[in-house]
Amino acid sequence: MAKIKLTKDFTGQFKISLDQLQEMDRQHNALKGIRGNVIEITIDIEKQLNYLISHTLFGGVKNRQSDVVHETKSEILFFEEFILNSTFLTLGSKLKIFRAMYKKCSFFKDYEKTCENLATNLKKVIEWRDRFAHGEITFKTTKEGFSD
């Protein structure tokens, strides 16, 4: 059910019809689905950032696909499982790691502008994810009924 937030201007009477209330509820349920999609897509983006970080630091592709145990392969797995996928390393922290990598690592020199654009867009993704994950749906009452 949709939440209705009462404002200080509330006069004590709702001017909402059953149809309007059902429409609010329908929109609220649709927004829940959108929220889930935004969060799910952000998780996919975070996984790609994890891969980029670990691949850059450990040259991961050839070691991941090899059947021969390489010392680096276990380092990649350790780094991913216990550091990148830990609860204390947030997406924002991973973005900071990525920024430090492209500013300090010479092999990013030719792609610095592209990396800056990616970092800017990742920051926007984090902001939007936070809005959807932590935002509250409110409807403001007016003399005519309600508005969002």
Side-chain angles (χ1 to χ4, degrees), residues 5-142:
K5 186 174 182 180
L6 300 178
T7 65
K8 63 181 179 181
D9 300 326
F10 180 66
T11 61
Q13 263 188 332
F14 286 111
K15 295 182 180 180
I16 299 175
S17 70
L18 181 58
D19 289 341
Q20 289 173 316
L21 196 55
Q22 288 172 337
E23 177 60 16
M24 285 173 55
D25 195 42
R26 186 195 65 73
Q27 289 179 14
H28 180 74
N29 287 331
L31 187 55
K32 281 188 206 176
I34 294 168
R35 271 186 179 159
N37 289 338
V38 168
I39 292 168
E40 190 64 35
I41 290 168
T42 304
I43 290 169
D44 290 341
I45 291 170
E46 184 173 9
K47 287 177 183 177
Q48 292 176 27
L49 183 59
N50 288 351
Y51 179 81
L52 176 64
I53 291 169
S54 65
H55 173 72
T56 301
L57 293 177
F58 296 103
V61 172
K62 68 179 179 194
N63 290 321
R64 287 171 195 250
Q65 296 175 346
S66 173
D67 291 333
V68 179
V69 177
H70 297 283
E71 186 177 334
T72 310
K73 187 174 184 178
S74 62
E75 290 170 355
I76 293 168
L77 293 174
F78 175 82
F79 182 73
E80 288 177 345
E81 290 177 20
F82 294 101
I83 297 175
L84 284 180
N85 293 325
S86 66
T87 56
F88 60 85
L89 194 61
T90 65
L91 182 53
S93 298
K94 294 172 188 179
L95 176 57
K96 286 180 185 177
I97 290 169
F98 174 68
R99 280 193 170 136
M101 285 172 46
Y102 79 74
K103 288 179 181 178
K104 296 183 186 260
C105 297
S106 61
F107 46 82
F108 280 115
K109 193 174 276 186
D110 293 338
Y111 304 100
E112 191 167 351
K113 187 67 178 164
T114 301
C115 290
E116 286 176 19
N117 289 336
L118 177 59
T120 299
N121 288 329
L122 286 170
K123 185 172 181 352
K124 290 176 186 176
V125 166
I126 293 168
E127 290 169 359
W128 277 101
R129 187 268 326 256
D130 288 348
R131 288 179 187 161
F132 276 92
H134 306 294
E136 184 176 305
I137 306 163
T138 59
F139 295 92
K140 188 169 110 182
T141 60
T142 65

